[in-house]
mmCIF file of all heavy atoms in Angstrom:
data_model
loop_
_atom_site.group_PDB
_atom_site.id
_atom_site.type_symbol
_atom_site.label_atom_id
_atom_site.label_comp_id
_atom_site.label_asym_id
_atom_site.label_seq_id
_atom_site.Cartn_x
_atom_site.Cartn_y
_atom_site.Cartn_z
ATOM 1 N N PRO N 29 67.134 126.379 123.371
ATOM 2 C CA PRO N 29 67.251 127.518 122.422
ATOM 3 C C PRO N 29 67.199 127.058 120.976
ATOM 4 O O PRO N 29 66.604 127.744 120.132
ATOM 5 C CB PRO N 29 68.607 128.118 122.800
ATOM 6 C CG PRO N 29 68.774 127.788 124.258
ATOM 7 C CD PRO N 29 68.176 126.405 124.420
ATOM 8 N N GLY N 55 70.626 138.570 117.898
ATOM 9 C CA GLY N 55 71.274 137.627 118.804
ATOM 10 C C GLY N 55 70.585 137.552 120.141
ATOM 11 O O GLY N 55 69.902 138.489 120.579
ATOM 12 N N VAL N 56 70.768 136.423 120.818
ATOM 13 C CA VAL N 56 70.290 136.195 122.177
ATOM 14 C C VAL N 56 71.496 135.881 123.041
ATOM 15 O O VAL N 56 72.257 134.954 122.739
ATOM 16 C CB VAL N 56 69.281 135.027 122.231
ATOM 17 C CG1 VAL N 56 68.889 134.744 123.681
ATOM 18 C CG2 VAL N 56 68.043 135.333 121.384
ATOM 19 N N VAL N 57 71.683 136.672 124.087
ATOM 20 C CA VAL N 57 72.754 136.431 125.054
ATOM 21 C C VAL N 57 72.128 135.803 126.276
ATOM 22 O O VAL N 57 71.157 136.319 126.835
ATOM 23 C CB VAL N 57 73.459 137.734 125.415
ATOM 24 C CG1 VAL N 57 74.504 137.505 126.511
ATOM 25 C CG2 VAL N 57 74.101 138.368 124.186
ATOM 26 N N LYS N 58 72.670 134.678 126.685
ATOM 27 C CA LYS N 58 72.120 133.954 127.843
ATOM 28 C C LYS N 58 73.291 133.365 128.623
ATOM 29 O O LYS N 58 74.190 132.750 128.041
ATOM 30 C CB LYS N 58 71.162 132.860 127.375
ATOM 31 C CG LYS N 58 70.381 132.184 128.510
ATOM 32 C CD LYS N 58 69.357 131.196 127.922
ATOM 33 C CE LYS N 58 68.411 130.666 128.990
ATOM 34 N NZ LYS N 58 69.084 129.863 130.018
ATOM 35 N N ASP N 59 73.242 133.547 129.924
ATOM 36 C CA ASP N 59 74.265 132.987 130.812
ATOM 37 C C ASP N 59 75.680 133.365 130.383
ATOM 38 O O ASP N 59 76.603 132.537 130.392
ATOM 39 C CB ASP N 59 74.119 131.463 130.886
ATOM 40 C CG ASP N 59 72.763 131.040 131.437
ATOM 41 O OD1 ASP N 59 72.212 131.785 132.271
ATOM 42 O OD2 ASP N 59 72.246 129.985 131.013
ATOM 43 N N GLY N 60 75.847 134.620 129.990
ATOM 44 C CA GLY N 60 77.177 135.140 129.716
ATOM 45 C C GLY N 60 77.747 134.852 128.351
ATOM 46 O O GLY N 60 78.916 135.138 128.097
ATOM 47 N N LYS N 61 76.953 134.293 127.465
ATOM 48 C CA LYS N 61 77.489 134.003 126.118
ATOM 49 C C LYS N 61 76.426 134.221 125.056
ATOM 50 O O LYS N 61 75.227 134.298 125.345
ATOM 51 C CB LYS N 61 77.999 132.561 126.060
ATOM 52 C CG LYS N 61 76.937 131.512 126.322
ATOM 53 C CD LYS N 61 77.536 130.105 126.364
ATOM 54 C CE LYS N 61 76.467 129.067 126.642
ATOM 55 N NZ LYS N 61 77.047 127.702 126.736
ATOM 56 N N LEU N 62 76.865 134.356 123.841
ATOM 57 C CA LEU N 62 75.967 134.520 122.702
ATOM 58 C C LEU N 62 75.363 133.150 122.381
ATOM 59 O O LEU N 62 75.965 132.328 121.714
ATOM 60 C CB LEU N 62 76.732 135.084 121.501
ATOM 61 C CG LEU N 62 75.932 135.470 120.265
ATOM 62 C CD1 LEU N 62 74.827 136.469 120.602
ATOM 63 C CD2 LEU N 62 76.858 136.049 119.216
ATOM 64 N N ALA N 63 74.155 132.934 122.887
ATOM 65 C CA ALA N 63 73.537 131.613 122.770
ATOM 66 C C ALA N 63 72.949 131.364 121.392
ATOM 67 O O ALA N 63 72.838 130.211 120.967
ATOM 68 C CB ALA N 63 72.426 131.473 123.828
ATOM 69 N N TYR N 64 72.545 132.444 120.700
ATOM 70 C CA TYR N 64 71.987 132.286 119.361
ATOM 71 C C TYR N 64 72.214 133.567 118.586
ATOM 72 O O TYR N 64 72.027 134.665 119.106
ATOM 73 C CB TYR N 64 70.487 131.981 119.423
ATOM 74 C CG TYR N 64 69.887 131.672 118.055
ATOM 75 C CD1 TYR N 64 70.226 130.501 117.391
ATOM 76 C CD2 TYR N 64 69.022 132.567 117.427
ATOM 77 C CE1 TYR N 64 69.707 130.236 116.141
ATOM 78 C CE2 TYR N 64 68.497 132.289 116.181
ATOM 79 C CZ TYR N 64 68.848 131.123 115.535
ATOM 80 O OH TYR N 64 68.342 130.837 114.290
ATOM 81 N N ALA N 269 77.502 141.448 121.617
ATOM 82 C CA ALA N 269 77.121 140.412 122.588
ATOM 83 C C ALA N 269 78.034 140.464 123.817
ATOM 84 O O ALA N 269 77.585 140.174 124.938
ATOM 85 C CB ALA N 269 77.168 139.041 121.948
ATOM 86 N N LYS N 270 79.283 140.842 123.635
ATOM 87 C CA LYS N 270 80.205 140.957 124.781
ATOM 88 C C LYS N 270 79.770 142.080 125.718
ATOM 89 O O LYS N 270 79.866 141.958 126.934
ATOM 90 C CB LYS N 270 81.630 141.195 124.282
ATOM 91 C CG LYS N 270 82.194 140.060 123.432
ATOM 92 C CD LYS N 270 83.539 140.420 122.816
ATOM 93 C CE LYS N 270 84.041 139.320 121.891
ATOM 94 N NZ LYS N 270 85.325 139.693 121.229
ATOM 95 N N VAL N 272 76.620 143.198 126.036
ATOM 96 C CA VAL N 272 75.376 142.756 126.682
ATOM 97 C C VAL N 272 75.709 141.773 127.818
ATOM 98 O O VAL N 272 75.152 141.873 128.926
ATOM 99 C CB VAL N 272 74.428 142.113 125.667
ATOM 100 C CG1 VAL N 272 73.229 141.468 126.357
ATOM 101 C CG2 VAL N 272 73.939 143.172 124.658
ATOM 102 N N ALA N 273 76.614 140.842 127.563
ATOM 103 C CA ALA N 273 76.979 139.868 128.591
ATOM 104 C C ALA N 273 77.632 140.550 129.789
ATOM 105 O O ALA N 273 77.370 140.185 130.944
ATOM 106 C CB ALA N 273 77.923 138.819 128.004
ATOM 107 N N PHE N 274 78.470 141.543 129.522
ATOM 108 C CA PHE N 274 79.109 142.294 130.613
ATOM 109 C C PHE N 274 78.065 143.000 131.481
ATOM 110 O O PHE N 274 78.126 142.949 132.720
ATOM 111 C CB PHE N 274 80.087 143.310 130.031
ATOM 112 C CG PHE N 274 80.452 144.434 130.957
ATOM 113 C CD1 PHE N 274 81.175 144.183 132.119
ATOM 114 C CD2 PHE N 274 80.047 145.736 130.683
ATOM 115 C CE1 PHE N 274 81.499 145.222 132.982
ATOM 116 C CE2 PHE N 274 80.375 146.764 131.550
ATOM 117 C CZ PHE N 274 81.100 146.510 132.693
ATOM 118 N N LEU N 276 74.802 142.288 131.861
ATOM 119 C CA LEU N 276 73.970 141.307 132.576
ATOM 120 C C LEU N 276 74.733 140.666 133.739
ATOM 121 O O LEU N 276 74.113 140.285 134.748
ATOM 122 C CB LEU N 276 73.497 140.223 131.606
ATOM 123 C CG LEU N 276 72.453 140.647 130.578
ATOM 124 C CD1 LEU N 276 72.258 139.555 129.535
ATOM 125 C CD2 LEU N 276 71.123 140.997 131.235
ATOM 126 N N GLY N 361 69.245 136.922 133.367
ATOM 127 C CA GLY N 361 70.532 136.837 132.711
ATOM 128 C C GLY N 361 70.442 136.699 131.207
ATOM 129 O O GLY N 361 71.292 136.065 130.579
ATOM 130 N N VAL N 362 69.403 137.323 130.623
ATOM 131 C CA VAL N 362 69.143 137.161 129.184
ATOM 132 C C VAL N 362 69.019 138.535 128.534
ATOM 133 O O VAL N 362 68.410 139.457 129.094
ATOM 134 C CB VAL N 362 67.856 136.358 128.934
ATOM 135 C CG1 VAL N 362 67.496 136.345 127.445
ATOM 136 C CG2 VAL N 362 68.024 134.922 129.432
ATOM 137 N N GLY N 363 69.593 138.677 127.342
ATOM 138 C CA GLY N 363 69.430 139.880 126.547
ATOM 139 C C GLY N 363 69.160 139.525 125.097
ATOM 140 O O GLY N 363 69.622 138.495 124.610
ATOM 141 N N PHE N 365 69.086 141.399 121.136
ATOM 142 C CA PHE N 365 69.396 142.606 120.375
ATOM 143 C C PHE N 365 69.282 142.314 118.883
ATOM 144 O O PHE N 365 69.333 141.152 118.437
ATOM 145 C CB PHE N 365 70.810 143.115 120.706
ATOM 146 C CG PHE N 365 71.920 142.193 120.270
ATOM 147 C CD1 PHE N 365 72.496 142.306 119.009
ATOM 148 C CD2 PHE N 365 72.407 141.221 121.138
ATOM 149 C CE1 PHE N 365 73.529 141.456 118.616
ATOM 150 C CE2 PHE N 365 73.434 140.369 120.751
ATOM 151 C CZ PHE N 365 73.991 140.483 119.486
#
Side-chain angles (χ1 to χ4, degrees):
V56 175
V57 175
K58 189 175 188 295
D59 299 328
K61 61 185 179 182
L62 187 55
Y64 186 69
K270 297 173 184 177
V272 172
F274 161 66
L276 289 170
V362 173
F365 66 90

